[in-house]
Each structure stands twice: as structure tokens, then as C-alpha cells.
Amino acid sequence: MIGYEVIQVVSNAHSRISGWITTFGGNMTYPINSVWVWVGLVIVISFTKWTWLTAESQINEKQPPTLRHTIPFIGHALKLARNKKKFFSEAFKKFNQQPFVMLIAGKKHYVFSDLADISAIHKNTQDITFRWTKVFVYTHLLGFSKKDAELMWDIDREAEKIDHRWLLGKDEQAEDTAKYFYNVQEHIDALDRDVEASDSKAIEVDGLLTVINLEGTATVETFYGKTTIRRHPKLIDDMMYIVTQGFKPFLFEFPRFLAPKAYSARDRIINTFIELNEELESRKDISGYFLERYRYIKDQGAPPSAAGADMFRHLFASLLNSLPTTYLAIVHILKSPELTAAVRQELETANYNKLSPKERVQILPDKVPLLRSVWFETLRMHNNLLTLRQVERETRISTKPEWLLRKGYIVSIPASAVHYNEKLHPEPNEFRPNRFMERSLGGGGENASRTLKPFGGGASYCPGRAFGEKQMMGFIAELLIRFNVQIIEPHFEVPPNGDFDDLWARPRSHWKITRRNAV
């Protein structure tokens, strides 16, 4: 078919030829007129198009079909930016859930959602890598210089072993998790004092801000230490400004004068962490994980600017997914009195309120399958991750059918396309809190490790996923065990996406909080 771009070529060519005839012919009358010009052009272009398609059909024998676009270079970037979930849902329906190719800002992307394809992509770390993605995020979002980004790519391959040991190792993870549970308890204690100090023994709060301020602060204190928050009390405010207002200016490289607040917020965060890096050995309240990781990075010759930006990356990773997921999970729970009661009953059966924060590591998440299923179901419905890789060498992924991937293309895996696949998740638009519980416990029996992709996969499978689960569970458990929490808005609708900027722009739920033992 002759697309928009070809029609434009024909139109432009017609105008030019008509102009040449007028210029050289003057007032003379020629047997050539605009009709014959059009006929000739259509014949030439049709032949050229047929030749191109014949050649392409041989090359594209194992290439996914292309999603047509109307704007050269930009492609589908604007539609994607407006609503990723809707865009991918409509595109996969168009191609009957098969992979396709799309153009985004001059880059061609292969888009996959089939689990076999995704598994093959994640396994092929030699030919399909995330180096391009990582360097792009480092330089555009996180403020790394290109030199520091390349240096950190090399250093990170060894530093990631430290990440995996501390974030996935049983004993090391338990150390930071217990510290986090203690910090959460302290902040919930402060919330309790606010409730007790009020005349009505009840307070009303913005739900999202409550999660950000309490869970977010507890997380920062766990890794970066309370000294960091005490010296820089606006750290989380700066982070929130960046994730709600700074992404687009950074991604599109706006000059500083067009987004001064976003750039200043990022500078303050990085400078905070440069200061921490310089005082690494004397700060006694930072986590053992951070001490080991940044001591190693320092020993490898990374300058303070790179270490500071890398700490910003960790802050970004530890809050960007967990905070929206916690907020949305709480809203889902509060909208159902039966679910609220069931979660509390499960926690009480596991003796949560009789255990110290350190001992709670033993029951979260293993002894609370319903709360864990709520975590997975919230991720399934609201996580909007788009995993990106670059094809470094022409390669094939051996699935059925086998696909040929060309060098230089980007491979995209939208989590929402997997999470809303009806074959994997029946009735995907319905929130089912027990979807991921074992059938023997009365659940749906779905396998989260196989059919959920909120943390990427393969070599870049986020090692912080286990701690993120405990972030949500530890906060929700403490909140619901100690307080009655009620959504004030009678018909509040749960936001569809977990993207921070989207949540921030939508109406937020407000909560009335009272002590559970209050009359």
C-alpha cells in the first residue's frame, strides 16, 4: 500500500514537474498535462514499490509486521507518551497478540509480549543488551556525564554481585529489612501521636502523601541513614518533584532555563549524596550494603560525581515502584471491608502484633499469602514498566515462529501487555486479591514468577524486588493493625496506572484515621 509518506512524495513531485513545464514552456501548449503527470508518477512509484516489497518480503520473512505511523521520525512517540497501557493494548489487538515493529523518535522497536519470546530475549545477553538503555537513563535522567556513565557500566558488572548478595541473600536482606521495619514502626508511632493529639481522636490525611512521607522516609533512613534526612529534610520532596515534573525535561534534554526547578532538585539530591560518599566511613547509620557497595565503587576510581549520581539511581529505584504500589494496594484493600478484615485476620493469625520488628522478618511475606497476593495483583493491574534492550548484532530468537532481529533495533517488552493477557490472567480488568494464592488456600493459583514482569528479567532482573515486596507489606501491616482507615470520598475510583506523574495528576484518596481501639 502507498502510505502517507509516499503520497507526500507524489504530491511534491507533481508540483515540481508542473512547475518545470510552466517554466520551460511559457505560453506554449504541450500535450503533457497534469493527468498524464499523475499517471506516469503512479506507474513509476508502483513499480518501485513492487520491487521494494519483493525484496523486503525476502528479508522480512521472519520479521514482525510494522505498525503504521503518520508522523515521520516521531512515529508513535506522542501516542505512547499519552497512555502506554492503552497504546500497547490496541496495538496487540490489531496484530492478534503477535509481535510488531513500531517507530519511536527515529528508533525502530520490536515489541514482544509472548512469554516464550520474552524468555529467549532475556537469555540472549550477548546479542540483545541493555547497555544502551542504561547509559541513556544514566545521562538523561540521572545526571551522569557520558564519561561517568560509561565508567559506571563497567564498574556495575562487579558491583551488582554486591547488590545481589545484600538484596537477595537471606541473612543480608534480613538485616536491612529489620532496620526498615523498625523505621516504619517509628513513623507509625508518630502518626499515632498525631491522632491522639487531635480533639476528635481522628485525623484526615492525603493518602498518597502519607505513603510517600512515611514509607519513603523509612526507606531512605534504612539505606542512607537518618543523618541524611536530618541534614536534608527536603530530599524526598525534591525526588517527588523530579518524578512528577522532571522526567520530560530530562528525557528531551530541555535547556536548564526551561526547567530550572527540576534541574535544581536533581543537583541538590546528587550533592547530598556526594557529601554522603565523602563521609562514607564516618556515617555509622548507613546500611552495611551501602557501605560495601560505595566503598567498592570508590576503590575503582569513580569520581564523587559518579558515586553521587549512582546513589540517586538507587533512591530512584527504591521509591519509584514501591510507593505507588503501596498506595494503590491500600486503596484496593480499603475499598473492600471484607478484604480489610481478611488481611487483618491473616496478620493476627501470624502473631504479627506480638512480634518485634526484627522478628517480623520471619512472617513477611511467607506467612501472609493473601497480603502477598494483593501485592502481586496490584503490580499486575497497575505496573506500567517498559523493558528496553538494544540488538547489538543481528540475531535470531528460537521460538515458534523464529524471529530475526536486526542490529540497531530496540527490543521493547511492555509489562501491561503481559499482565492484561486474558490467556494468562482471566478477567484481567478485575482486581482479584487472591488471584496469586495457591488453590489449596482458596486462591486462583496463578504463578506470579512466571506471568508477571514488573521488574524486568534476565541479567537486569531487579535485585531489589524482594525488598520492595517487604516495603509494601511492612507498611500496610503496621498501618492496618494499629488504625481504622477509611477512604473519605464515597465513590473513589482506583487510578489505572502506577506511574507517579499520572497518580500525581489524578484526584487522590483522603483517609480518615482513628485508633483501632477507639470507641
Side-chain angles (χ1 to χ4, degrees):
M1 294 178 64
I2 298 177
Y4 173 86
E5 295 86 353
V6 177
I7 292 173
Q8 284 294 99
V9 170
V10 172
S11 178
N12 292 340
H14 170 261
S15 299
R16 289 179 182 177
I17 292 175
S18 298
W20 294 339
I21 293 172
T22 303
T23 300
F24 288 105
N27 294 325
M28 297 176 61
T29 302
Y30 282 84
I32 300 176
N33 56 40
S34 62
V35 174
W36 288 107
V37 171
W38 273 104
V39 170
L41 284 171
V42 169
I43 292 172
V44 171
I45 289 174
S46 296
F47 177 77
T48 304
K49 189 72 174 176
W50 174 81
T51 305
W52 178 79
L53 285 173
T54 302
E56 281 293 295
S57 67
Q58 298 173 356
I59 298 173
N60 287 351
E61 183 180 355
K62 296 180 179 178
Q63 287 279 294
T66 297
L67 183 66
R68 293 179 61 192
H69 60 272
T70 55
I71 308 176
F73 186 81
I74 298 296
H76 298 282
L78 299 179
K79 289 183 179 178
L80 192 66
R82 281 197 292 270
N83 192 326
K84 290 201 296 286
K85 186 183 291 185
K86 181 180 179 181
F87 172 82
F88 286 119
S89 175
E90 292 177 350
F92 275 110
K93 282 181 182 177
K94 179 181 178 69
F95 293 109
N96 195 26
Q97 305 305 315
Q98 291 298 305
F100 59 91
V101 177
M102 66 177 182
L103 180 69
I104 300 290
K107 283 274 190 179
K108 291 186 177 179
H109 291 236
Y110 297 111
V111 187
F112 291 93
S113 68
D114 180 79
L115 292 178
D117 291 337
I118 293 170
S119 177
I121 290 164
H122 284 156
K123 288 177 181 177
N124 189 348
T125 57
Q126 297 300 313
D127 302 319
I128 309 170
T129 78
F130 60 98
R131 178 172 187 148
W132 170 83
T133 307
K134 202 165 187 177
V135 171
F136 180 87
V137 170
Y138 276 17
T139 53
H140 285 68
L141 283 182
L142 303 178
F144 283 78
S145 68
K146 185 69 183 301
K147 181 180 178 181
D148 285 352
E150 295 290 350
L151 175 64
M152 285 304 302
W153 168 263
D154 295 328
I155 292 175
D156 255 355
R157 284 182 291 181
E158 188 64 31
E160 283 172 357
K161 295 178 183 178
I162 300 172
D163 298 339
H164 282 76
R165 182 159 48 77
W166 276 93
L167 295 172
L168 297 174
K170 182 179 179 180
D171 293 338
E172 291 87 348
Q173 183 193 132
E175 182 180 317
D176 279 339
T177 301
K179 185 178 178 182
Y180 169 74
F181 288 167
Y182 273 111
N183 291 332
V184 167
Q185 182 172 278
E186 286 185 358
H187 289 288
I188 294 295
D189 286 344
L191 185 65
D192 183 75
R193 289 192 293 272
D194 289 342
V195 172
E196 179 61 23
S198 66
D199 293 337
S200 61
K201 306 301 179 185
I203 60 174
E204 295 182 0
V205 299
D206 180 313
L208 180 58
L209 286 181
T210 298
V211 172
I212 290 170
N213 291 330
L214 303 189
E215 181 182 318
T217 303
T219 302
V220 172
E221 290 171 342
T222 298
F223 293 109
Y224 302 88
K226 293 183 178 180
T227 304
T228 298
I229 284 289
R230 188 169 61 252
R231 289 186 185 177
H232 306 280
K234 297 295 184 182
L235 179 67
I236 291 179
D237 291 343
D238 282 339
M239 182 66 184
M240 290 307 105
Y241 189 85
I242 288 171
V243 298
T244 58
Q245 307 291 328
F247 275 2
K248 289 178 182 177
F250 292 161
L251 286 174
F252 293 104
E253 298 184 285
F254 284 12
R256 194 179 185 98
F257 72 86
L258 290 179
K261 290 183 179 180
Y263 281 99
S264 294
R266 187 172 71 180
D267 289 346
R268 284 192 296 271
I269 292 175
I270 292 175
N271 288 333
T272 295
F273 295 146
I274 288 175
E275 173 189 271
L276 173 58
N277 188 62
E278 291 171 346
E279 300 175 2
L280 202 59
E281 303 299 333
S282 62
R283 293 276 190 98
K284 302 303 181 184
D285 55 354
I286 67 171
S287 73
Y289 162 44
F290 259 40
L291 182 62
E292 183 176 346
R293 175 181 172 81
Y294 289 101
R295 186 183 281 160
Y296 172 79
I297 288 174
K298 207 172 190 178
D299 291 344
Q300 298 305 303
S305 59
D310 191 70
M311 286 187 181
F312 174 36
R313 175 198 63 80
H314 188 280
L315 179 71
F316 188 90
S318 64
L319 300 182
L320 191 64
N321 199 353
S322 66
L323 297 183
T325 305
T326 298
Y327 167 69
L328 292 167
I330 292 173
V331 172
H332 277 296
I333 292 170
L334 297 181
K335 282 179 69 68
S336 168
E338 295 79 13
L339 180 56
T340 303
V343 169
R344 284 194 179 120
Q345 181 61 51
E346 181 178 68
L347 289 165
E348 290 168 356
T349 301
N351 292 318
Y352 173 88
N353 49 347
K354 296 180 181 179
L355 300 175
S356 70
K358 185 177 181 179
E359 292 171 325
R360 290 168 187 165
V361 174
Q362 301 167 13
I363 67 167
L364 299 176
D366 295 337
K367 303 297 183 182
V368 287
L370 174 59
L371 185 55
R372 191 177 206 186
S373 181
V374 168
W375 153 257
F376 287 136
E377 179 69 342
T378 305
L379 285 172
R380 184 194 68 79
M381 288 200 73
H382 302 286
N383 182 273
N384 222 4
L385 178 73
L386 180 62
T387 301
L388 301 173
R389 301 285 186 274
Q390 180 163 279
V391 183
E392 300 292 345
R393 287 172 291 277
E394 185 174 285
T395 187
R396 286 176 167 80
I397 56 171
S398 299
T399 54
K400 293 182 180 180
E402 180 183 80
W403 299 107
L404 172 68
L405 305 185
R406 293 177 179 166
K407 179 180 178 180
Y409 278 47
I410 304 300
V411 174
S412 298
I413 302 171
S416 62
V418 179
H419 296 170
Y420 279 77
N421 185 327
E422 293 183 357
K423 294 180 180 179
L424 299 175
H425 308 288
E427 298 183 327
N429 292 307
E430 179 182 337
F431 181 85
R432 292 185 178 180
N434 64 348
R435 184 187 293 271
F436 294 98
M437 285 175 62
E438 294 180 9
R439 286 194 173 91
S440 61
L441 299 175
E446 294 189 25
N447 187 332
S449 62
R450 188 178 74 87
T451 62
L452 292 188
K453 301 297 176 186
F455 301 106
S460 63
Y461 196 16
C462 177
R465 61 190 183 274
F467 182 79
E469 181 179 46
K470 293 174 178 64
Q471 276 178 286
M472 184 217 73
M473 289 188 181
F475 183 81
I476 292 180
E478 192 72 3
L479 182 73
L480 294 185
I481 282 292
R482 295 180 59 175
F483 299 110
N484 289 313
V485 185
Q486 176 186 353
I487 295 178
I488 295 172
E489 296 83 1
H491 304 293
F492 183 78
E493 293 186 6
V494 183
N497 297 325
D499 292 341
F500 242 124
D501 55 345
D502 187 68
L503 281 180
W504 201 260
R506 290 177 179 271
R508 302 203 287 268
S509 67
H510 293 78
W511 305 339
K512 180 181 179 180
I513 299 178
T514 59
R515 283 180 170 178
R516 281 190 69 197
N517 60 358
V519 178

